[in-house]
Amino acid sequence: MKNLFLLFFLSINLVSFSQEFTRADTLRGSITPERAWWNVLHYDLKVTPNASEKSIEGSNTITYEVLRPYNIMQIDLQNPMKIDKVLQAGKELQYTSEGNAHFVKLQKKQAGGSENEITIYFSGIPREAVRPPWDGGFTWKKDSNGKDFIANSNQGIGSSVWWPLKDHPSEEPDNGVTISVTTPKDLMDVSNGRLKTVTENEDSKTWTWEVKNPINAYGVNLSIGDYVHFGEKYNGEKGSLDMDYYVLRENEAKAKEQFKQAPMMMEAFEYWFGPYPFYEDGYKLVEVPYLGMEHQSSVTYGNNFENGYLGRDVSGSGWGMKFDFIIIHESGHEWFANNITNKDVADMWIHEAFTSYSENIYLDYHFGKKASSEYVIGVRNNIVNEKPIVIGNYNVNQSGSGDMYYKGANMLHTLRQLIADDEKWRQILRGLNKEFYHQNVTTEQIENYISEKSEIDLTAFWNQYLRTIMVPKVEYSFNENVLKFRYTNIVKNFKMPVIAIVNGKEVWIKPSSKWKTREFKAPIKSFEIKKDFYVTEQNMN
């Protein structure tokens, strides 16, 4: 069972740490001169899948703002997908290609401050995902009635695996995206945002969805199936929120029971994280033929309508069976990944640590602090500690260690203990989502914000847990009523106070790299560090 969980947490979206970076990595992961001069305002994406051939064709009209004059535009589209032609103002443009980066030569330098459009027509057989969502691409399946069941998932590999765009995490279209997907008449497409129109064609239907808010590119999705729809209104912090659910016809009864957890999720996360970030676009849960993904306002779901992670408890504590892992985890990404998005995938811990932490925050809200604590302590069994959470390789499209999930969650749980004021901690989490609302951020911004609001110098704390694989160790010994203790396995200046349980009573101690002593009134019979702190301990007696 543990191996299954490690497959999920360590293989999703991760690139080998031993790789040598290439120019292709730089073209994908950096703001090249051909990317830097223009800002995406809107995508108008039109797609027609062909299930029998596992192919797609379509177009993407990009509305962009000119930041400074230039005439070469980098568009990303990965092989084996092909650009068929590029048009601007009705005229076909020339382009050259270097791997998956395509450099379009505009007719003239664009005037600074102007807004323009360019349309890219594309077609091909997109990469088919072998183990979705851990690798990227399209999934082409059939439901039990033999009808097509199709979806994309492409967080790690990027949206350019199937459509042409400016494929960098720092770039989100300011004014959202329009997605039009043409399906057979007996099927439906569900994409991000709200359904605006359904156009009846001769032998097909075109479903047009509109996203009002900025959206990260990998969050743009299509889901095609023989769906039934049901929904509800949720009375949230910003008013009435549409919560809509789309599942295969055969699973409607199961979904109506299992998806009762969705408003429970919304209640818990609005309390801890602040208002749902996309009221204008609504919230959806959509059944797909893979495990699930945090597609913005269109969270995809494939957890078999049962609690746990594919029916198992990732924590081993029992508490993981009290909720549907995919509903809670992937919806948590609406706040951390979709509202607050990393500028570079090297900082993906911002997405995954906070969202993994959202699992025990959900438990905290509905089942209490004991449940929350036991769950997050339990998931430590999934931590490998082979590579740091933040690896420091920026501008090459490389993310950090898979420990960003549950080592990250335990780091945040430890920080909650250190702050020692639950309401203050809640306001910090809510403040993050307000301060960085609909923004792309860096690790430094998140570190500085929490340090400032907690009024604690967390420099060594972040360095310890984000940038090393070391777990702080408290070495101790005691003789009669005298306790001796220190930290080992730490970075410079790491002095995090922890709660020790001495003779069954909680007391704060402040270890450092140097031995310290503390006297107690009574002889010391027992000593341990409170398990809510992510540290180890060793009795040196």
Side-chain angles (χ1 to χ4, degrees), residues 5 7 27 35 53 84 105 131 141 170 232 277 296 320-322 339 358 361 371 407 446 471:
F5 299 146
L7 176 67
L27 288 175
R35 281 172 163 171
E53 297 181 358
D84 297 322
K105 185 176 182 180
R131 295 181 300 114
K141 298 284 188 181
S170 68
E232 60 189 310
Q296 185 173 310
M321 298 306 296
K322 296 294 185 181
N339 183 38
S358 76
I361 282 296
K407 183 179 179 181
I446 300 299
V471 180

Side-chain angles (χ1 to χ4, degrees), residues 461-497:
F461 178 91
W462 298 125
N463 287 337
Q464 180 78 36
Y465 288 108
L466 289 178
R467 299 179 177 89
T468 79
I469 63 172
M470 298 186 295
V471 180
K473 179 188 290 186
V474 178
E475 296 182 343
Y476 69 92
S477 63
F478 51 83
N479 184 21
E480 295 296 332
N481 65 331
V482 177
L483 174 70
K484 187 178 180 181
F485 57 92
R486 72 171 181 181
Y487 272 129
T488 59
N489 216 33
I490 56 172
V491 300
K492 184 179 181 180
N493 296 323
F494 186 85
K495 301 175 183 180
M496 180 180 73

